[in-house]
Amino acid sequence: MEIGQVIRKYRKEKDMTQEEMARRLGVTAPAVNKWESGASAPDIALLAPIARMLGITTDTLLCFREALTEEEIRRFVQEAGEKLRKEDYDDVFNWAKSVLEQYPNCDSLIWQMALLLDVPRRVGEIPEEAAEQYDAYISSCYARALESGDEGIRLHGAAGLFGFYFWREEYDRAEGYLAYYSEEDPERKRRQGDIYSRTGRVREAYKLYEELVFSGYHKLQTALQSISQLAKQEKDMETARFIVEKQTGLARLMEIGQYQEATMEMDLAMAEKDPEATMRIAGKLLSCIEDITSYSRSRLYGHMEFKELSEEFCGQMRETLIKALREEENFGYMKGEARWQELLESCGEVPWGQGGSGAHFSNNR
């Protein structure tokens, strides 16, 4: 809100006419009218008297606030976007600059305005010879966001400066802003991969991108597993089956291996107490346990390094799986199934009901 709008708003709230206000301040009524219309501004010596007369602080009069509301910020950003579509860039730049001068401490508005002004520059809408004059101000806005007390805004500032310098092929400067991200932040890895790919470190770029794919898969599966568990708790088996289909499809798409696919299917078979499915999936698990890390041979992860599993470790995994299958707590519904008994007997001599922890499967009681 401009100072003239503030004067008009609070004058009306006081039921005061422009003439009365002018008389009390020792100025003319047309002078007050010009303030309120934005044609001119009050002399600095009048600011304190005007504020006292209207019952507000000088900060309010000058529209100074630590921060705007989210709705006010949204409106400014929306207006900026509309102006960029319809008006000359230089006019919009100067308008945005005047807005930020009114709200110099609104960090959220600062980085968003900087991004809006930066995008036309990056996509080549502004000629190089004309655009350079705007760069210093845009980068300074991003830098101001870096000083925010809000971590999210600091990250936006870092992202803005990374993009600012990356687009300009100043890769060393761009890379410096990745320090604002945590080591495990996927965005840090992705942006670092972009730096590697542009600076000839192709193998390193492949490795980072592949790590993002691999870790992203596991995050998705964890979330899907939680949804599946909720559905089973609610006895909503239709949804549980639907989610397991998505889980196995995702594992297949990302070439994670048949063992992981079967593990998800077994959780559902246990929840449904389905002997036929349990028998089929148990056989699948036992047959592919030695190939549990088949993903390490996928081209999708061709630049990642995986630890080779020893025969001893695979043997331990097999024993753990067999013990899990013998757990009466989870597989009691299979008791009396002749083929199940034969399967267990073929796996060793541990008696039924004396299994291990069942670590491979969820307890779906």
Side-chain angles (χ1 to χ4, degrees), residues 88-98 117 134 137-138:
D88 180 74
Y89 181 86
D90 189 65
D91 292 337
V92 181
F93 178 89
N94 290 322
W95 170 84
K97 190 175 178 182
S98 70
L117 293 172
Y134 306 116
Y137 183 76
I138 293 171

Side-chain angles (χ1 to χ4, degrees), residues 97-131:
K97 190 175 178 182
S98 70
V99 170
L100 296 184
E101 287 170 353
Q102 292 180 55
Y103 304 100
N105 290 341
C106 187
D107 299 335
S108 180
L109 181 63
I110 289 169
W111 79 261
Q112 291 186 71
M113 282 293 195
L115 183 60
L116 279 169
L117 293 172
D118 197 16
V119 168
R121 174 80 166 94
R122 294 189 197 181
V123 298
E125 293 181 3
I126 313 301
E128 190 69 27
E129 60 275 11

Side-chain angles (χ1 to χ4, degrees), residues 10 38 41 73 90 116 130 180 188 201 255 315 317 330 354:
Y10 286 99
I73 293 171
D90 189 65
L116 279 169
Y180 285 86
R188 176 171 181 156
R201 291 172 282 182
E255 300 188 12
M317 286 285 293
N330 281 335
Q354 295 184 21

